[in-house]
Amino acid sequence: MNSRGSNSSGNSAIALRRLMTEYRQLTSGGSPDGMFTAGPISESDFFTWEALICGPKDTPFEGGVFVAKLTFPTDYPLSPFKMRFEPPIYHPNIYPDGTVCISILHTPGDDPTMYEQASERWSPVQSIEKVILSVISMLAEPNLESGANIDCCKLYRENKAEYERRVRESIKQQLGL
Amino acid sequence: MPTNNLQALLSADISDPTDFPTNELRQLDASFRCTICGEFYDAPVILACGHCFCSLCIREHIVRETQCPNCRKSTAEAHFRLNPALEEAVEAWKRSRPIVLQLSKEEQCRIESYSHVDTQKTPTRTRPPNNNNTAKRKRRARSESSDSEIIHVAGPSNSKASSEVVDSSPAPAYDRRPSKRRDTEPSSDIGEEELEPDSLISCPICGRLVEYQLINGHIDGPDCGNSKAAPKSNTQVPNSGARNEWSKILGKSSLKKGKNKESSDSDGIMERLPKVSYAVLKDKVLKDLLLSQRLPTTGDRFTWIARHQRWVMMYNANLDKSEGNRKGLAELRNELKRWEEDRKISKRIVEDVIAHETAYRADFQRLVEEARRTRATPVTNSLPHALQGPQDNCKQTIVDDSEED
Ligand SMILES: [Zn+2]
Ligand SMILES: [Zn+2]
Ligand SMILES: [Zn+2]
């Protein structure tokens, strides 16, 4: 994964303007089907956002609401941001610490598995909205070729019913039911 | 504090397509913007695949990845083609934008107020009026059929009210009653108020306050343009040695910006600067390289390289503009200086994040809690992000989510 301000040309002014624009567009348009909201956590730091994501329908995640923290590098959008669910979600493509492993957030340098198509990677014309929508479809359909949670991958492959039961269980717990 | 920068940014007008009330105009506005930076094309260049970006944006991108950000076809600097037609269109749009924005918002208000006055006759009124109507600004009679209509469209200046509106045409007729309904669209700048000819709006190019009726003249004039940094400059200056050196360099020529000796010496320079393999260069050579471009040699080797690299990019990108739009070398040097200052701020922001997160943890928790409790309320433009999007079904679940962290 990329670290903050990775390359030589981190210029926060450009990043900030682009983040402002994306924020404005998100708030004025709303997300498709109201599946998520996202915005900066506080006025004094535009580089850290929070997203609230609804579990997609007809998946074991349905009914859940998941909080993810988005951390932007100062050279955004040249470099992608990081996304981490807090608390973590049990899912084949989410590391146990909650960090999302998805090709759209990877640059050529940091494809851990070498399975990813260049066409799916980060590019500066991607956006927060597109990434979150990709993550939502990833929740519905895990990508077992680039697993991040090995145990979870294994369970998913060998006993999908049990995997789904575990996911639903964790959502119930989260909702305090 | 990085907040200075943020505050400046938040108070500055950042225009974006959602300023406009209708989708059509939003699309129009978006089509003049680079998909990397989201701003109006600056020195647009076309790649072999046909996609178009600001010269500087794409130059920065291909340092990392030699693919088109849009379609991923491989690309290289040698493939860049200038796009003066688009450049011209962008400039024209930037000049027209404040006026189109104002007119479209007025129109929106009129439509809304009309729909309040008379909710039965015309069922769908969210659409903007047919452009023809407004463009012609005339009464138009379509008298062949029985459902003849006369549409009275008020001109930009206050004209008499519409006593002439006839019958139940499906197209809305507009009257010009002074309903000052505010637009509900979250947006910061011009157009939110009803503009009198002498009311001040901030220039979309340089941000200065200018009388509305004088804006076009201002944009074309010499005052406009090179003070983009006005709101945030002068707080951040590098160390004094660097300052001296910068001011030595900038001082001479910035008094007579543009068409002077400096630019006459730049007129000759149509050659692009070549890329440099810095790794093999001795310090002395590197310094000479900077001096030959009349750039300061303050800082360490890393700074020199970053400075020269950026200079080459900016210099070459500037040549991708049509001749009339090019910046003088003095202005370019000024921009390079600002860029270095911004980078310093960037670094500080990065360092601050950790401290910041701890300090604001409580605040953050409160906000999140609030967000979870709040039922869907209309989107406001206020910061911090209060997570109050229009997502009812999402909210529903959030409310249930009486969670334990
Ligand atoms: Zn751009
Ligand atoms: Zn392309
Ligand atoms: Zn101006």
Side-chain angles (χ1 to χ4, degrees):
Chain A
M1 294 243 112
N2 260 47
S3 58
R4 241 164 202 268
S6 52
N7 244 316
S8 58
S9 58
N11 187 316
S12 61
I14 293 166
L16 277 171
R17 290 179 71 97
R18 163 93 189 228
L19 285 170
M20 284 284 291
T21 309
E22 285 198 57
Y23 177 63
R24 283 236 233 154
Q25 282 168 0
L26 280 172
T27 47
S28 78
S31 66
D33 305 325
M35 295 206 299
F36 69 89
T37 69
I41 288 170
S42 92
E43 190 171 343
S44 44
D45 178 14
F46 233 82
F47 286 89
T48 311
W49 286 32
E50 187 189 61
L52 295 185
I53 297 174
C54 297
K57 286 215 172 76
D58 304 321
T59 74
F61 295 95
E62 182 171 355
V65 178
F66 308 98
V67 182
K69 195 172 185 186
L70 318 181
T71 316
F72 295 89
T74 50
D75 60 355
Y76 182 78
L78 294 173
S79 295
F81 58 93
K82 276 196 242 178
M83 181 165 179
R84 185 172 151 172
F85 281 101
E86 298 180 353
I89 301 183
Y90 186 67
H91 184 278
N93 302 111
I94 297 175
Y95 288 102
D97 77 345
T99 303
V100 177
C101 175
I102 188 169
S103 55
I104 195 173
L105 285 177
H106 292 155
T107 56
D110 50 28
D111 174 2
T113 60
M114 306 298 288
Y115 277 111
E116 293 165 3
Q117 299 290 308
S119 61
E120 297 163 350
R121 284 197 206 114
W122 174 257
S123 126
V125 302
Q126 303 289 11
S127 64
I128 297 160
E129 177 175 0
K130 285 187 210 154
V131 169
I132 293 180
L133 291 176
S134 299
V135 168
I136 289 172
S137 62
M138 178 197 84
L139 289 179
E141 283 175 56
N143 174 6
L144 295 180
E145 281 181 336
S146 63
N149 183 334
I150 307 302
D151 292 340
C152 184
C153 279
K154 203 164 161 242
L155 185 62
Y156 186 91
R157 239 188 300 250
E158 290 169 0
N159 189 347
K160 199 169 162 192
E162 172 60 14
Y163 158 80
E164 295 187 345
R165 196 196 61 75
R166 255 190 90 166
V167 171
R168 270 192 288 263
E169 193 56 40
S170 68
I171 290 170
K172 270 192 210 153
Q173 251 177 28
Q174 185 211 1
L175 295 177
L177 298 175
Chain B
M1 280 290 284
T3 34
N4 286 340
N5 200 19
L6 266 171
Q7 239 66 47
L9 202 98
L10 291 172
S11 56
D13 292 325
I14 295 183
S15 74
D16 79 285
T18 59
D19 294 338
F20 287 99
T22 70
N23 264 335
E24 291 83 353
L25 285 170
R26 288 177 180 190
Q27 278 165 16
L28 177 66
D29 192 65
S31 69
F32 290 117
R33 290 170 185 270
C34 163
T35 46
I36 294 180
C37 63
E39 317 230 1
F40 290 122
Y41 285 114
D42 185 39
V45 294
I46 294 190
L47 315 188
C49 56
H51 289 118
C52 192
F53 307 93
C54 304
S55 179
L56 202 50
C57 287
I58 189 66
R59 281 166 195 279
E60 274 183 329
H61 171 74
I62 61 166
V63 172
R64 296 146 191 258
E65 215 178 347
T66 51
Q67 291 177 344
C68 168
N70 244 324
C71 67
R72 318 255 178 193
K73 293 220 173 84
S74 89
T75 189
E77 200 180 322
H79 301 160
F80 296 175
R81 297 276 190 86
L82 309 188
N83 194 345
L86 178 58
E87 189 183 356
E88 212 170 293
V90 168
E91 292 307 317
W93 173 241
K94 283 201 280 198
R95 280 192 288 269
S96 327
R97 194 179 190 274
I99 291 126
V100 176
L101 189 59
Q102 195 218 346
L103 288 176
S104 65
K105 290 198 166 178
E106 275 180 15
E107 202 60 28
Q108 193 74 5
C109 288
R110 231 175 296 166
I111 292 167
E112 276 167 21
S113 69
Y114 174 76
S115 76
H116 282 274
V117 170
D118 171 30
T119 39
Q120 284 177 335
K121 277 186 183 171
T122 41
T124 53
R125 251 178 238 91
T126 41
R127 294 193 59 234
N130 181 343
N131 263 345
N132 276 341
N133 294 345
T134 4
K136 284 180 187 157
R137 291 215 175 96
K138 282 183 197 164
R139 289 207 238 140
R140 196 185 56 173
R142 199 175 59 190
S143 43
E144 309 91 50
S145 65
S146 56
D147 66 335
S148 76
E149 58 175 341
I150 294 174
I151 297 176
H152 175 92
V153 180
S157 60
N158 268 339
S159 54
K160 56 189 152 22
S162 60
S163 46
E164 295 141 291
V165 178
V166 181
D167 90 21
S168 57
S169 63
Y174 310 102
D175 69 17
R176 179 77 193 176
R177 82 195 59 224
S179 72
K180 306 272 185 204
R181 280 200 69 245
R182 292 238 156 179
D183 209 331
T184 49
E185 198 63 46
S187 142
S188 57
D189 50 7
I190 27 173
E192 195 145 11
E193 291 91 356
E194 300 271 322
L195 291 177
E196 297 301 322
D198 60 346
S199 55
L200 293 177
I201 63 171
S202 78
C203 168
I205 314 277
C206 69
R208 284 200 192 114
L209 289 176
V210 182
E211 279 180 33
Y212 168 64
Q213 59 181 351
L214 300 178
I215 186 69
N216 277 341
H218 159 81
I219 289 173
D220 290 330
D223 300 349
C224 177
N226 47 33
S227 58
K228 266 201 183 105
K232 68 177 172 207
S233 70
N234 68 36
T235 43
Q236 280 312 121
V237 189
N239 65 58
S240 58
R243 182 197 308 177
N244 286 341
E245 209 167 323
W246 276 111
S247 62
K248 241 187 289 165
I249 286 161
L250 299 172
K252 284 173 203 155
S253 38
S254 57
L255 290 176
K256 18 166 190 165
K257 57 183 144 201
K259 288 108 194 163
N260 54 28
K261 229 189 263 161
E262 173 82 298
S263 76
S264 71
D265 105 307
S266 74
D267 281 344
I269 311 173
M270 289 298 299
E271 294 287 305
R272 280 153 207 282
L273 295 176
K275 289 235 176 70
V276 178
S277 318
Y278 300 100
V280 301
L281 293 188
K282 298 223 164 73
D283 285 359
K284 169 85 173 62
V285 186
L286 207 46
K287 272 189 169 182
D288 287 345
L289 214 52
L290 289 169
L291 289 172
S292 72
Q293 295 297 316
R294 300 181 55 199
L295 297 175
T297 53
T298 47
D300 53 11
R301 186 183 163 86
F302 181 77
T303 313
W304 299 339
I305 293 177
R307 184 179 293 150
H308 190 264
Q309 222 167 12
R310 179 72 185 182
W311 175 252
V312 171
M313 265 188 208
M314 289 173 51
Y315 188 98
N316 290 344
N318 190 42
L319 292 180
D320 290 335
K321 296 179 190 249
S322 6
E323 233 172 306
N325 291 337
R326 279 183 206 151
K327 293 167 183 162
L329 290 180
E331 197 183 339
L332 278 187
R333 290 198 184 93
N334 240 321
E335 280 180 6
L336 179 64
K337 175 172 173 270
R338 278 205 301 271
W339 177 79
E340 287 195 4
E341 287 164 12
D342 269 339
R343 289 184 79 219
K344 292 214 171 96
I345 298 169
S346 307
K347 278 187 196 148
R348 213 154 329 146
I349 287 179
V350 176
E351 285 158 12
D352 276 5
V353 167
I354 314 275
H356 178 84
E357 272 171 15
T358 350
Y360 287 80
R361 192 74 203 167
D363 227 19
F364 160 67
Q365 291 293 4
R366 185 183 51 77
L367 279 171
V368 172
E369 289 308 312
E370 255 170 37
R372 284 176 190 156
R373 244 168 258 134
T374 322
R375 289 231 149 208
T377 43
V379 179
T380 67
N381 201 24
S382 68
L383 290 170
H385 170 59
L387 303 165
Q388 74 285 57
Q391 290 83 356
D392 293 72
N393 71 6
C394 202
K395 277 295 122 45
Q396 221 82 19
T397 358
I398 293 164
V399 173
D400 296 341
D401 175 19
S402 56
E403 55 131 59
E404 72 293 60
D405 75 26

